[in-house]
């Protein structure tokens, strides 16, 4: 069974303690929403989890193997992958080539025909197969988000972390991404979904983790978390819009 165990992760940038001892555990194919006001530390936590940033303290275990000392490519091979809040499609490669990269990075001797088949299947599922020979740079923001999801599917890790997958995405593509998330989760993968769009969080997630100033202030079912006084205060303190979804609606991340 997939397990992700995050224990007391701390990270400081200069004098700014951005993560103050973050702990949580994921057991099995959970679909967990990671929410919190702008600057709470969600992306930093993701960067620590995928090995891009080394924590000052704490331990991360994936499937009982310690991953916090590993390089990002080793973490990916160990089974944890992520998308980026600001997309990072390879701009000078075609869409299809973009999808080859993770597969070949995992296994240089991968069967090209199988890789090609899988890539085309993923592009069709994401409804961007007509763009297969376009360069990454020619894609719209929303299409780049889909391409990133596609690359993550090619990697097919045990734990998927999606950092704002809906930001800048045309509403007509939202349903495609919802389906994508549900399919991957249904195939037994764990997903951490970071989103300021509370509708997506409340539609998809059965558990919410709330980060505020680098602390986990709530962890539980959405209906419980959204009535938690500390959570309400955290969002009010940040002057976020509290209407909609019965309680919390957040605006898009400004830099997404
Ligand atoms: N490389 C860095 N150097 C210095 N400070 C940083 C760095 N990365 C992030 N920070 C700071 O850490 C804090 C947390 O940022 P982070 O991007 O993790 O928040 P977030 O929860 O992802 O926010 P958002 O919802 O806006 O995406 C912010 O105050 C940010 O300015
Ligand atoms: Mg962020």
């Amino acid at each position: 069974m997939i397990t992700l165990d995050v224990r007391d992760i701390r990270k400081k940038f200069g004098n700014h303690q951005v993560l103050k001892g973050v702990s949580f555990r994921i057991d099995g194919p959970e679909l967990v929403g990671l929410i919190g006001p702008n600057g709470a530390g969600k992306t930093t936590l993701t960067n620590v989890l995928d090995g891009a940033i080394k924590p000052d303290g704490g331990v991360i275990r994936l499937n009982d193997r310690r991953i916090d000392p590993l390089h990002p490519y080793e973490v990916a091979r160990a089974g944890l992958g992520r998308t980026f809040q600001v997309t990072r499609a390879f701009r000078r490669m075609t869409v299809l080539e973009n999808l080859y990269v993770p597969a070949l990075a995992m296994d240089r001797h991968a069967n090209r025909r199988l890789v090609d088949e899988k890539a085309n299947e993923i592009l069709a599922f994401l409804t961007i197969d007509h763009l297969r020979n376009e360069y990454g740079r020619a894609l719209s923001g929303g299409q780049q988000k889909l391409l990133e999801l596609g690359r993550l599917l090619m990697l097919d890790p045990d734990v998927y972390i999606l950092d704002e997958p809906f930001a800048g995405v045309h509403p007509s593509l939202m349903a495609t991404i919802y389906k994508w998330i549900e399919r991957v989760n249904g195939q037994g993968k764990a997903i951490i979904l970071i989103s300021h769009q509370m509708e997506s969080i409340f539609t998809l997630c059965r558990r919410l983790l709330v980060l505020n100033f680098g602390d986990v202030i709530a962890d539980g079912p959405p209906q419980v978390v959204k009535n938690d006084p500390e959570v309400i205060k955290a969002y009010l303190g940040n002057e976020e819009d509290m209407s909609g979804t019965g309680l919390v609606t957040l605006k898009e991340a400004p830099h997404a």
Side-chain angles (χ1 to χ4, degrees):
M1 190 177 69
I2 295 168
T3 57
L4 178 67
D5 191 45
V6 178
R7 281 292 142 232
D8 199 25
I9 290 298
R10 278 161 280 131
K11 181 68 198 178
K12 208 175 193 176
F13 291 119
N15 287 327
H16 185 181
Q17 190 75 43
V18 174
L19 299 175
K20 297 176 180 164
V22 172
S23 299
F24 65 93
R25 194 183 153 87
I26 290 178
D27 287 291
E30 293 193 65
L31 209 174
V32 181
L34 175 59
I35 65 171
N38 291 124
K42 304 178 297 294
T43 296
T44 302
L45 178 61
T46 302
N47 290 335
V48 170
L49 288 170
D50 91 337
I53 290 178
K54 292 298 147 204
D56 302 326
V59 174
I60 306 166
R61 285 195 183 81
L62 175 64
N63 302 330
D64 292 325
R65 175 181 173 202
R66 196 163 166 179
I67 59 164
D68 52 281
L70 304 183
H71 294 289
Y73 72 91
E74 295 170 317
V75 173
R77 283 188 184 164
L80 185 146
R82 57 87 62 94
T83 62
F84 293 88
Q85 186 165 2
V86 179
T87 55
R88 297 186 180 183
F90 298 119
R91 297 171 57 78
R92 292 159 178 274
M93 284 186 192
T94 67
V95 164
L96 207 47
E97 286 165 350
N98 264 275
L99 290 190
Y100 292 159
V101 171
L104 297 175
M106 293 290 276
D107 176 7
R108 267 190 323 121
H109 305 293
N111 181 318
R112 289 300 285 260
R113 193 177 56 80
L114 290 181
V115 169
D116 196 56
E117 260 175 33
K118 190 173 171 187
N120 278 296
E121 189 197 321
I122 288 169
L123 290 180
F125 178 68
L126 294 174
T127 69
I128 50 173
D129 41 340
H130 58 293
L131 299 171
R132 64 165 67 77
N133 295 318
E134 294 287 341
Y135 284 99
R137 62 169 179 265
L139 269 51
S140 74
Q143 290 167 337
Q144 288 192 36
K145 284 274 176 193
L146 290 178
L147 177 55
E148 255 200 21
L149 295 174
R151 287 196 308 193
L152 196 51
L153 273 178
M154 290 296 285
L155 180 68
D156 198 24
D158 290 337
V159 178
Y160 284 69
I161 306 179
L162 311 177
D163 196 353
E164 299 286 355
F166 309 109
V169 168
H170 192 274
S172 65
L173 292 176
M174 298 277 286
T176 301
I177 302 182
Y178 276 31
K179 246 195 293 177
W180 182 94
I181 290 173
E182 280 169 339
R183 186 172 95 157
V184 170
N185 184 235
Q187 287 169 346
K189 306 295 185 162
I191 298 176
I192 299 176
L193 172 62
I194 301 172
S195 178
H196 282 281
Q197 294 191 339
M198 288 302 126
E199 197 195 323
S200 66
I201 291 282
F202 280 91
T203 303
L204 292 165
C205 302
R206 294 177 288 276
R207 174 183 171 194
L208 296 188
L209 271 170
V210 187
L211 210 56
N212 190 35
F213 292 117
D215 271 323
V216 176
I217 59 166
D219 179 358
Q223 296 310 317
V224 175
V225 164
K226 80 172 188 180
N227 293 313
D228 185 309
E230 211 179 330
V231 173
I232 295 170
K233 204 173 103 200
Y235 280 105
L236 276 177
N238 283 272
E239 294 176 1
E240 306 267 9
D241 178 9
M242 301 283 292
S243 60
T245 66
L247 186 64
V248 189
T249 306
L250 300 180
K251 44 188 184 282
E252 285 289 274
H255 51 279

